[in-house]
């Protein structure tokens, strides 16, 4: 009993003293960081000017540690992202900013509707660029041990930007992204461009710079101006009884031979039958199905989430006035709870199918293990953790 009381007291002392200790440690860390920044060719003037302005932000650590108890289902996610208001505003901006959008498309090959879709999802067309001091956020996350190396690299890049561009320290997200399209500092450093000709790359206050920078990034990632992102398709009734590997990439001609039809009822064109495509099933075998092309993978270089990439594609189509998915027809499936994923990871690890961390995150490793489980037990290999599959795994 005395031991338990002592442990409780010790925990209370640690919890109460942590903020003060963190701030004290942060000031010591800043002195060490100054040496590292100088070693990375950040000028003494920049270090002396900006380092004193960096303050420890405990709320940033809280946000970094805070993981949602459940992952939104695809139907819920897509309805939050692709709203009628966002579509209408995108269509209005497509007309209002036609001149600059056309110039950027001519130079980088990225159609206007896609750029507007990214702008809409990232900052609601520039309305929510973030209010957190980027340098303080990056310094706080760099001082923290969880992802220190990554954020130290970002902070040094941010200082180099301020050194080269002669702009003010920006406001942005708690994770250090800033500007109309929410670039991280290293992304800015590699891909930002001066489109308005004022001698600065300013993705916060200059929309031409921000727009061209986003297009430059997508172009450099491999955007194919001759392709769309993909489209919704319909599977034949016996699709899951066929034996070929449904997770691989094949030409459209192959998918056509398997009986996969365009959801809009139109025929595949002869000149597109050699396009490579793969299936994405965000809600599993019972939900909407998409055949996606190379540009879908380029979108995922921006954000690795299938949900995000699908939202960009569908929103871009709607802004452009194309026939596309009726998101209101997507049935609402159960949200995926963190504790459920932890139990699944533990079970799949005990079966020798999963080698990753038990973290409750449904990432690529967990999906790969789930696909192996589905193959082993002759279930539809859709990589989707439905309620039925969850019950089978945990029984």
């Amino acid at each position: 009993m005395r031991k338990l009381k002592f442990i409780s007291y010790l925990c209370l002392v640690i919890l109460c003293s942590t903020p003060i200790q963190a701030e004290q440690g942060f000031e010591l860390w800043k002195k060490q960081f100054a040496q590292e920044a100088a070693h990375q060719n950040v000028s003494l003037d920049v270090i002396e000017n900006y380092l004193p302005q960096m303050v420890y932000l405990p709320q940033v650590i809280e946000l970094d540690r805070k993981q949602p108890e459940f992952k939104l289902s695809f139907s819920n996610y897509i309805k939050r992202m692709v709203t009628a208001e966002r579509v209408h505003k995108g269509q209005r901006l497509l007309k209002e900013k036609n001149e600059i959008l056309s110039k950027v498309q001519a130079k980088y090959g990225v159609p206007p509707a896609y750029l507007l879709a990214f702008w809409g999802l990232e900052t609601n067309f520039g309305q929510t660029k973030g209010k957190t001091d980027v340098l303080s956020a990056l310094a706080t996350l760099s001082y923290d041990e969880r992802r220190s190396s990554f954020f130290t690299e970002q902070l040094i890049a941010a200082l180099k930007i301020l050194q080269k561009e002669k702009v003010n320290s920006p406001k942005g997200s708690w994770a250090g992204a800033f500007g109309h399209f929410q670039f991280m500092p290293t992304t800015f450093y590699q891909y930002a461009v001066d489109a308005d000709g004022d001698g600065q790359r300013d993705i916060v206050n200059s929309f031409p710079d921000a727009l061209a920078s986003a297009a430059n990034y997508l172009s450099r990632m491999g955007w194919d101006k001759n392709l769309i992102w993909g489209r919704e398709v319909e599977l034949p009734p016996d699709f899951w009884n066929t034996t070929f590997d449904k997770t691989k990439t094949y030409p459209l001609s192959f998918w056509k031979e398997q009986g996969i039809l365009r959801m809009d009822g139109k025929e595949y064109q002869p000149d597109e039958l050699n396009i490579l495509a793969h299936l994405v099933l965000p809600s599993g075998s019972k939900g909407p199905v998409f055949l996606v092309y190379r540009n879908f993978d380029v979108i995922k270089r921006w954000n690795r989430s299938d949900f995000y990439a699908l939202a960009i594609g569908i929103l871009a189509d709607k802004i452009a006035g194309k026939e596309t998915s009726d998101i209101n027809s997507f049935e609402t499936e159960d949200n995926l709870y963190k504790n459920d994923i932890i139990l699944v990871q533990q079970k799949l690890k005990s079966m020798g199918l999963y080698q990753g961390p038990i973290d409750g995150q449904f990432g690529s490793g967990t999906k790969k293990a789930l696909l192996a489980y589905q193959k082993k037990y002759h279930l539809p290999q859709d990589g989707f953790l439905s309620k039925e599959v969850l019950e089978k795994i945990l029984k």
Side-chain angles (χ1 to χ4, degrees), residues 286-384:
K286 297 180 180 179
V289 182
F290 302 88
L291 266 180
V292 299
Y293 312 148
R294 178 181 176 180
N295 285 339
F296 181 87
D297 298 322
V298 172
I299 295 171
K300 289 187 66 176
R301 297 290 296 272
W302 187 298
N303 185 313
R304 290 180 292 177
S305 165
D306 281 347
F307 285 14
Y308 180 90
L310 289 169
I312 289 290
I314 292 171
L315 179 57
D317 284 348
K318 289 183 180 297
I319 289 173
K322 295 181 179 179
E323 286 187 47
T324 188
S325 302
D326 177 12
I327 62 174
N328 292 318
S329 69
F330 298 162
E331 293 185 9
T332 301
E333 66 275 13
D334 293 333
N335 292 319
L336 203 55
Y337 282 83
K338 182 179 177 181
N339 287 339
D340 291 335
I341 301 173
I342 288 174
L343 292 173
V344 166
Q345 288 173 332
Q346 292 172 337
K347 184 71 172 182
L348 293 175
K349 178 164 280 194
S350 70
M351 298 171 67
L353 299 175
Y354 178 63
Q355 307 301 324
I358 308 298
D359 58 5
Q361 299 299 305
F362 196 84
S364 58
T366 306
K367 183 175 181 178
K368 183 177 179 180
L370 178 59
L371 283 165
Y373 173 88
Q374 290 172 327
K375 181 178 181 180
K376 182 176 181 179
Y377 290 97
H378 307 290
L379 300 171
Q381 295 173 52
D382 56 14
F384 181 69

Side-chain angles (χ1 to χ4, degrees), residues 76-250:
N76 287 334
Y77 176 89
I78 202 73
K79 289 169 186 175
R80 286 191 183 190
M81 297 296 106
V82 185
T83 63
E85 180 183 5
R86 191 163 280 164
V87 171
H88 293 153
K89 187 167 184 178
Q91 291 174 336
R92 176 169 57 80
L93 289 168
L94 188 63
K95 296 178 182 178
E96 290 180 3
K97 298 186 178 293
N98 176 66
E99 183 178 354
I100 186 172
L101 287 165
S102 297
K103 287 181 180 179
V104 169
Q105 180 182 12
K107 184 170 184 177
Y108 298 102
V110 184
Y114 287 96
L115 294 170
L116 289 171
F118 277 104
W119 191 25
L121 260 59
E122 290 296 336
T123 62
N124 197 23
F125 305 106
Q127 291 185 358
T128 55
K129 288 182 282 189
K131 299 181 180 179
T132 303
D133 177 69
V134 165
L135 289 182
S136 292
L138 290 174
T140 299
L141 292 166
S142 180
Y143 166 65
D144 185 54
E145 293 183 355
R146 196 170 85 86
R147 292 188 288 171
S148 178
S149 296
F150 172 78
F151 285 107
T152 297
E153 181 185 13
Q154 298 299 326
L155 181 56
I156 288 174
L159 290 174
K160 288 182 176 180
I161 291 167
L162 295 172
Q163 176 176 305
K164 185 175 182 180
E165 303 302 328
K166 306 300 181 184
V167 295
N168 294 324
S169 176
K171 302 290 184 180
S173 75
W174 66 265
F178 63 100
H180 284 275
F181 290 86
Q182 294 293 280
F183 275 18
M184 291 298 288
T186 52
T187 303
F188 176 101
Y189 208 73
Q190 296 179 70
Y191 303 104
V193 296
D194 173 21
D196 59 15
D198 67 351
Q200 295 182 0
R201 299 182 295 171
D202 184 358
I203 63 172
V204 178
N205 302 303
S206 170
F207 180 68
D209 286 6
L211 186 70
S213 297
N216 182 48
Y217 176 84
L218 292 168
S219 177
R220 298 268 295 275
M221 289 299 104
W223 189 271
D224 189 334
K225 64 181 181 180
N226 297 313
L227 290 180
I228 60 174
W229 66 274
R231 57 168 57 92
E232 188 179 1
V233 294
E234 184 177 2
L235 302 180
D238 61 344
F239 180 77
W240 295 106
N241 295 326
T242 55
T243 57
F244 72 94
D245 189 341
K246 300 167 182 63
T247 65
K248 290 189 175 181
T249 299
Y250 304 97

Side-chain angles (χ1 to χ4, degrees), residues 7-74:
I7 292 173
S8 298
Y9 171 76
L10 183 61
C11 290
L12 181 61
V13 169
I14 292 173
L15 287 172
C16 291
S17 60
T18 294
I20 297 174
Q21 289 178 339
E23 290 180 15
Q24 291 174 342
F26 182 71
E27 292 304 315
L28 292 174
W29 170 85
K30 283 166 67 172
K31 295 179 181 179
Q32 297 173 341
F33 173 78
Q35 297 177 355
E36 173 66 15
H39 181 70
Q40 295 291 335
N41 299 318
V42 178
S43 71
L44 184 60
D45 286 344
V46 168
I47 293 172
E48 290 180 345
N49 183 31
Y50 288 105
L51 199 63
Q53 300 178 31
M54 300 180 197
V55 297
Y56 181 75
L57 301 176
Q59 66 270 28
V60 166
I61 300 300
E62 292 175 10
L63 289 167
D64 184 55
R65 294 290 191 273
K66 186 178 180 181
Q67 296 181 1
E69 288 303 313
F70 62 84
K71 177 184 176 184
L72 277 178
S73 67
F74 175 66

